[in-house]
Amino acid sequence: ETKLWVVDNFTNEKDIYPQIEEAADLLRNHEVVAFPTETVYGLGGDATSDKAVDKIFAAKGRPSDNPLIVHIGDKEQLHTFVESIPSKAEKVIDAFWPGPLTVILPKKDRVSDKVTAGLNSIAVRMPSHPVALALLKKVALPIAAPSANLSGKPSPTLAHHVMNDLEGRISGVVDGGATGVGVESTVLDCTEEIPIILRPGGITQKELENVIGPVKVDRALLSDKEAPKSPGMKYTHYAPDAPLVIVDGSSDFFQSIIDGYKDQGKRVGVLTTSEHEDAYKADAVITCGSRSNLETVASHLYESLRSFNECDVDIIVSESFSEEGVGHAVMNRLMKAAGHHVIKQ
Ligand code: TXA
Ligand code: MG
């Protein structure tokens, strides 16, 4: 049975609710518990416990060659499992922690290979969500936490998404309401002289470059032909039940694509924005935000993708977005959800 602790009016980090204590106790006892972060819900387990880490992989159905991010509530914890902190890493940590940035650093030998999937580096982040921070400070252990979805599904941005995927498979869910950023943290490999973005996310390339100068982007993010440096980026991801295609063109072109699917007898879902929500005739039209503010799109993207599962559609047609700022992360996730299927005018 999966417990649900509602703490969504939680604002003060210092008020430790009894619910947080209960969740922390379960984590100390090698159990796995989901909790909100400012990006998406994470499925936490004690990173120093092989038993807990095994439970994370089992609950998600996650391939064991995909390493986990270790979450900490206190920078001092870093030194217990990281071999060294290059100066550029130090700078981005100071600038963006707590926040949606994961750094890849050289790991110490004693970190379990189960967490890092046998790599000699480790991914670490300090989330800024008050509930996540309170829980991490309470347990005072490094907590491994992948997104709390079944492997392959869109990441959860609401507690009920976690329940839909993992109820009965995990010990509990701390419900802190909607997460915020809505797409996962930026993963930055700091083991190279020029750091490399392995996964675009809540912190943009520009924001990083303002602090440490030039930052590269993993070439695999620019095409689907290259092998990604981050193991997780090679898997099909973020997918709703129905296939998804991205359409890049005018509203008339977009409608002609919808009509083409309808002519094949398909029920068509449309993923659009407030600017175009009245422009299309389809079986289900879902608005994920405003094109003029891509933060709103990032924030509602996964919820929108999940909501098509209740619409009984055969195909989902999505608008395309600019890759500026957080648009980089939005398009990266949409392209993965679509298996890189884009129809250009
Ligand atoms: O926002 C987030 O980062 C969320 C919340 C819960 O914190 N977590 C998250 O974890 O997205 P997950 O497991 O879904 O994604 C972790 C990504 C994967 O693509 C994984 O391959 C990559 O980080 N990763 C982990 N350790 C790595 C390493 N040592 N080298 C390269 N990539 C690594
Ligand atoms: Mg994930």
Side-chain angles (χ1 to χ4, degrees):
E1 202 204 333
T2 302
K3 286 200 170 179
L4 185 68
W5 302 281
V6 181
V7 297
D8 65 356
N9 53 356
F10 185 105
T11 48
N12 185 353
E13 206 189 301
K14 298 211 168 57
D15 295 338
I16 302 294
Y17 280 69
Q19 290 98 314
I20 299 276
E21 299 257 12
E22 212 184 314
D25 280 341
L26 285 167
L27 287 171
R28 277 189 216 100
N29 285 311
H30 315 274
E31 298 297 340
V32 294
V33 166
F35 60 93
T37 80
E38 73 281 17
T39 58
V40 301
Y41 275 77
L43 178 61
D46 177 357
T48 67
S49 158
D50 279 354
K51 204 168 138 194
V53 173
D54 282 341
K55 283 183 188 169
I56 292 176
F57 281 94
K60 282 182 58 87
R62 181 179 178 106
S64 61
D65 67 346
N66 190 3
L68 306 177
I69 298 172
V70 173
H71 293 61
I72 55 177
D74 180 349
K75 277 186 207 171
E76 291 311 302
Q77 283 174 285
L78 258 184
H79 303 277
T80 62
F81 49 90
V82 163
E83 189 58 47
S84 63
I85 307 175
S87 72
K88 285 178 186 168
E90 190 101 53
K91 284 189 182 141
V92 291
I93 285 172
D94 286 343
F96 301 109
W97 280 10
L101 176 72
T102 295
V103 292
I104 308 284
L105 296 167
K107 72 159 196 173
K108 278 196 170 143
D109 286 343
R110 62 197 185 84
V111 178
S112 167
D113 274 341
K114 288 188 190 270
V115 173
T116 59
L119 299 175
N120 51 21
S121 61
I122 184 164
V124 194
R125 104 172 178 97
M126 189 194 297
S128 63
H129 195 292
V131 173
L133 273 180
L135 182 62
L136 291 168
K137 286 184 174 160
K138 190 77 214 164
V139 283
L141 287 166
I143 296 295
S147 50
N149 50 284
L150 280 174
S151 214
K153 302 278 177 209
S155 297
T157 54
L158 288 164
H160 80 83
H161 297 159
V162 181
M163 285 303 244
N164 283 348
D165 278 15
L166 301 178
E167 188 170 14
R169 303 167 73 95
I170 63 176
S171 293
V173 180
V174 184
D175 178 357
T179 49
V181 177
V183 290
E184 298 83 347
S185 61
T186 302
V187 176
L188 185 69
D189 183 352
C190 295
T191 65
E192 306 274 345
E193 180 46 34
I194 300 181
I196 309 169
I197 293 175
L198 304 186
R199 179 178 72 180
I203 301 289
T204 64
Q205 183 175 7
K206 259 205 195 101
E207 289 175 294
L208 292 167
E209 289 186 330
N210 285 341
V211 176
I212 51 169
V215 166
K216 292 194 218 167
V217 175
D218 185 6
R219 293 173 46 140
L221 297 178
L222 308 172
S223 92
D224 55 346
K225 310 264 169 343
E226 302 261 339
K229 290 187 200 303
S230 179
M233 297 303 278
K234 70 174 180 276
Y235 295 105
T236 310
H237 255 115
Y238 318 114
D241 295 344
L244 176 80
V245 297
I246 301 170
V247 171
D248 189 357
S250 68
S251 297
D252 284 346
F253 180 71
F254 199 101
Q255 185 65 47
S256 74
I257 299 297
I258 299 172
D259 293 342
Y261 287 119
K262 291 196 75 70
D263 288 345
Q264 296 170 26
K266 290 186 172 161
R267 282 179 52 84
V268 183
V270 167
L271 182 62
T272 184
T273 45
S274 50
E275 285 83 352
H276 299 147
E277 60 191 353
D278 299 323
Y280 309 121
K281 282 195 201 64
D283 298 291
V285 177
I286 290 175
T287 301
C288 60
S290 162
R291 309 186 70 75
S292 65
N293 179 357
L294 290 182
E295 273 79 21
T296 62
V297 172
S299 176
H300 299 106
L301 180 67
Y302 292 143
E303 182 183 1
S304 302
L305 290 176
R306 278 179 181 261
S307 58
F308 282 110
N309 295 347
E310 273 102 65
C311 296
D312 187 31
V313 292
D314 303 307
I315 179 93
I316 302 163
V317 187
S318 171
E319 287 184 0
S320 184
F321 296 93
S322 140
E323 297 200 26
E324 279 297 298
V326 77
H328 190 198
V330 167
M331 280 309 288
N332 170 262
R333 307 308 194 270
L334 263 184
M335 288 290 266
K336 285 180 150 296
H340 290 266
H341 187 181
V342 183
I343 305 174
K344 273 201 168 68
Q345 188 162 12

